[in-house]
Amino acid sequence: MKTIFRLTIWVMMSFVINTNGQSNMVSIKGGTYIPLYGRDSLKVTIQDFDMDVYPVTNQEYLDFVIQYPKWQRSNVIKLFADDSYLIDWISDTAIGKNQSPLAAISNISWFAAKAYCECQDKRLPSIDEWEYVAMANENLPDARQLKTYNEYILSWYEKPKTFNNEIGSTFKNYWGVYDLHGLVWEWTLDFNSVLVSGESRKDVDNDSDLFCGSAAIGATDLMNYAAFMRYAIRGSVKAKYTMRNLGFRCVKDKIE
Amino acid sequence: MKFKNILVLILLSIVGFSCTKTDKKQEEAITYQCPMQCEGDKVYNEVGSCPVCNMDIKPVVEKVKANHNPEQISETSIFNLTTKWNTEEGKSIELKDLKGKTLVMVMIYTTCKAACPRLVADMRNIEAQIPDKYIADINFIMVSIDPETDTPKRLKEFAIENVMDGEQWTFLQGSVSGVREFANVLAVKYKEITPLDFSHSNIISVFNSDGELMHQQEGLGVDNKETINTILNLQ
């Protein structure tokens, strides 16, 4: 009796997470904050928007490629994805043997992530939107000054193969969003607005406060290091790259 | 007991529903091969490891057929992008409408005070070094990274100001997301610093008449010999 009851709950849960195509979103109240790398003025203003509670899963991405065959591994064109696109999948329409349907999708390009969100009438989050939500811990909208918050992120960087873990296995943050830290890195819409001098393309107008020593090395808290890693990744990838630990989630503008 | 039955019913209905939803086409037959090809082209029908080097054998990914049909667009062609653009003459086009000519492309914005005038100068410099008989087969294209400010009217004014109003010059205004996507194809990075000011990569790209990237020149005022040679070799 109890087993059946549990099974029912479990099936219902996985049904909600899995098969509804439109994954759950939560509302993010906009505001002003200071990102690691801003614009002319330090502060950036974020409008209200909705964000997916979880990263997009293998199962959800599988449903997507079944519906849109042009994003299947053997059909995707080279302009939009490199050779390791969905490399662990068994076939065009079957995920890898060791991959959980409920783990976050990875090995997808920016073009693929963007197309996925657009097909659901959503979009990728901007860097500023993503960072704004990701600076929250369980209780605070901005936990960047807390030692525990930073230690959590940095300890994730040391853990191997977290991309195999299922969604929802990290903490639920202040906004009700899971897994921003702890499973996979995530694509952002304007990742190519991170201008890196020296390290990647020397020709860029010098954005002198990026990679400036005082921001990272001289930091008194660890916050700058964790965020710096994310910006460094964004500055080093191209849109057709696919990586085993790089996934995505979608957001949606509020309808006025 | 009744409760139990209801639960079972719920369970069944959910399972039934998800089955219809995830109903898939039959999976194609997959073959596996040693990634080192220790046994040449030998393939297996099951997962396992290579008997020679012991590495896990991998699914054979079919090589995508090369396209030689001139009507077709190759996989790496920018003509695969379906975004819409406005020219400085107010025409609405897609990138594939540019098919047939060698394309020399750069991303700029007209309110730019720092690098763009020099990038524009680099473009003019390249154009000046191309023998006249080839000019008709080359399209020099300036793509604006600030589509909100750079309307077709503004681009036309800019073209006239800079004496770049000839047939061989084209200026394009896209959508915000279309520009972001196009920049990603060129691996150009840019960021809005203030409403009229952007930071951006200084890259001039050369495409053949099928829209395939042939050469990229990075930096300002660099030696453009290689770029010009690439363009001439395509004629």
Side-chain angles (χ1 to χ4, degrees):
Chain A
M1 179 67 199
K2 235 180 185 170
T3 330
I4 295 177
F5 185 70
R6 280 205 195 115
L7 195 61
T8 312
I9 300 284
W10 183 83
V11 168
M12 284 176 98
M13 286 286 288
S14 60
F15 181 73
V16 167
I17 294 171
N18 240 334
T19 51
N20 61 3
Q22 288 283 330
S23 48
N24 290 332
M25 301 189 93
V26 287
S27 186
I28 310 293
K29 180 103 190 79
T32 303
Y33 83 112
I34 300 177
L36 186 57
Y37 300 114
R39 305 188 353 154
D40 50 335
S41 62
L42 284 172
K43 285 187 177 164
V44 167
T45 302
I46 304 292
Q47 304 297 324
D48 295 357
F49 64 100
D50 291 330
M51 184 179 245
D52 283 353
V53 173
Y54 303 105
V56 173
T57 62
N58 284 321
Q59 179 64 47
E60 287 168 335
Y61 199 80
L62 177 62
D63 293 343
F64 167 73
V65 300
I66 289 169
Q67 207 184 341
Y68 299 93
K70 75 173 215 177
W71 290 104
Q72 290 171 9
R73 191 176 62 191
S74 62
N75 295 339
V76 74
I77 62 169
K78 288 202 178 72
L79 191 68
F80 294 149
D82 67 15
D83 287 345
S84 56
Y85 179 73
L86 299 178
I87 193 163
D88 290 331
W89 285 29
I90 300 172
S91 76
D92 275 352
T93 52
I95 65 171
K97 286 231 154 51
N98 299 322
Q99 292 177 306
S100 160
L102 283 181
I105 183 74
S106 61
N107 275 122
I108 38 82
S109 66
W110 177 85
F111 293 105
K114 178 170 174 279
Y116 178 98
C117 292
E118 284 170 0
C119 288
Q120 306 213 356
D121 204 19
K122 298 180 187 173
R123 62 177 172 84
L124 287 170
S126 69
I127 294 179
D128 288 332
E129 285 168 340
W130 195 96
E131 292 284 330
Y132 178 74
V133 181
M135 69 189 182
N137 70 354
E138 289 91 332
N139 309 312
L140 294 170
D142 184 357
R144 291 180 296 175
Q145 297 306 322
L146 292 185
K147 205 169 167 228
T148 49
Y149 165 84
N150 296 300
E151 278 173 356
Y152 181 86
I153 302 177
L154 292 177
S155 73
W156 163 43
Y157 292 172
E158 291 164 3
K159 275 181 219 143
K161 297 198 174 172
T162 51
F163 53 83
N164 279 333
N165 297 348
E166 295 191 348
I167 56 161
S169 58
T170 72
F171 69 94
K172 175 183 184 176
N173 83 2
Y174 173 83
W175 303 102
V177 177
Y178 283 87
D179 306 328
L180 287 163
H181 308 290
L183 294 187
V184 288
W185 306 85
E186 294 182 12
W187 281 110
T188 48
L189 188 61
D190 54 348
F191 79 94
N192 69 333
S193 67
V194 177
L195 296 139
V196 185
S197 41
E199 311 292 331
S200 91
R201 289 208 165 223
K202 59 189 180 301
D203 45 359
V204 169
D205 255 19
N206 205 1
D207 190 359
S208 59
D209 50 8
L210 192 59
F211 284 90
C212 169
S214 65
I217 300 159
T220 47
D221 56 3
L222 290 171
M223 162 198 144
N224 287 345
Y225 180 68
F228 166 86
M229 288 290 287
R230 291 194 294 274
Y231 280 85
I233 289 268
R234 289 171 191 142
S236 65
V237 292
K238 289 186 188 172
K240 67 172 184 177
Y241 284 12
T242 69
M243 283 161 56
R244 187 155 284 160
N245 53 0
L246 184 56
F248 71 102
R249 75 179 71 214
C250 311
V251 299
K252 198 171 182 173
D253 290 317
K254 288 274 187 206
I255 302 145
E256 308 246 320
Chain B
M1 202 55 208
K2 223 177 179 182
F3 186 53
K4 185 176 170 180
N5 286 342
I6 292 169
L7 280 177
V8 170
L9 261 177
I10 294 175
L11 190 68
L12 279 176
S13 67
I14 291 170
V15 170
F17 185 45
S18 26
C19 285
T20 53
K21 252 204 132 172
T22 49
D23 202 10
K24 286 166 220 152
K25 292 163 258 165
Q26 230 174 354
E27 275 171 31
E28 310 137 35
I30 319 149
T31 53
Y32 298 86
Q33 194 175 40
C34 170
M36 303 297 292
Q37 296 191 318
C38 295
E39 298 174 291
D41 286 337
K42 186 168 179 189
V43 292
Y44 296 86
N45 291 323
E46 279 174 2
V47 194
S49 51
C50 171
V52 180
C53 65
N54 253 332
M55 279 175 75
D56 287 349
I57 56 175
K58 299 269 184 206
V60 178
V61 184
E62 255 187 72
K63 284 270 177 298
V64 200
K65 335 88 212 165
N67 249 320
H68 292 300
N69 185 342
E71 290 305 306
Q72 294 264 316
I73 297 169
S74 86
E75 282 202 17
T76 52
S77 170
I78 53 166
F79 302 146
N80 285 299
L81 302 174
T82 53
T83 42
K84 298 257 187 300
W85 303 79
N86 296 317
T87 70
E88 84 284 8
E89 307 293 345
K91 267 199 306 189
S92 174
I93 63 162
E94 285 184 26
L95 291 175
K96 65 170 182 279
D97 296 332
L98 301 169
K99 197 169 183 328
K101 288 188 180 184
T102 303
L103 307 176
V104 185
M105 291 189 149
V106 71
M107 297 189 82
I108 55 151
Y109 63 104
T110 63
T111 48
C112 175
K113 298 283 175 287
C116 309
R118 293 172 61 199
L119 261 183
V120 171
D122 282 346
M123 284 287 275
R124 268 211 301 261
N125 195 351
I126 292 170
E127 192 253 3
Q129 292 185 54
I130 304 288
D132 286 348
K133 58 178 175 179
Y134 297 132
I135 287 291
D137 297 321
I138 304 170
N139 206 338
F140 295 88
I141 297 167
M142 317 285 206
V143 179
S144 171
I145 52 176
D146 185 9
E148 272 150 21
T149 311
D150 291 336
T151 58
K153 184 167 168 280
R154 172 85 196 107
L155 291 170
K156 178 76 177 173
E157 287 163 10
F158 184 84
I160 294 169
E161 273 166 38
N162 287 277
V163 207
M164 298 165 94
D165 199 27
E167 281 289 301
Q168 70 272 38
W169 300 99
T170 303
F171 291 76
L172 295 180
Q173 174 206 31
S175 62
V176 172
S177 72
V179 170
R180 183 64 70 187
E181 180 182 69
F182 186 66
N184 272 329
V185 169
L186 299 186
V188 165
K189 295 175 182 290
Y190 67 95
K191 179 183 173 78
E192 188 178 354
I193 304 299
T194 67
L196 286 179
D197 198 12
F198 289 75
S199 273
H200 62 105
S201 313
N202 300 316
I203 297 179
I204 294 175
S205 310
V206 179
F207 296 86
N208 67 13
S209 54
D210 290 322
E212 294 156 351
L213 184 63
M214 305 310 282
H215 179 71
Q216 286 197 310
Q217 165 183 322
E218 308 183 9
L220 287 172
V222 296
D223 181 10
N224 53 25
K225 209 160 148 197
E226 212 182 317
T227 307
I228 289 165
N229 281 339
T230 311
I231 297 171
L232 292 179
N233 284 336
L234 288 168
Q235 304 311 311

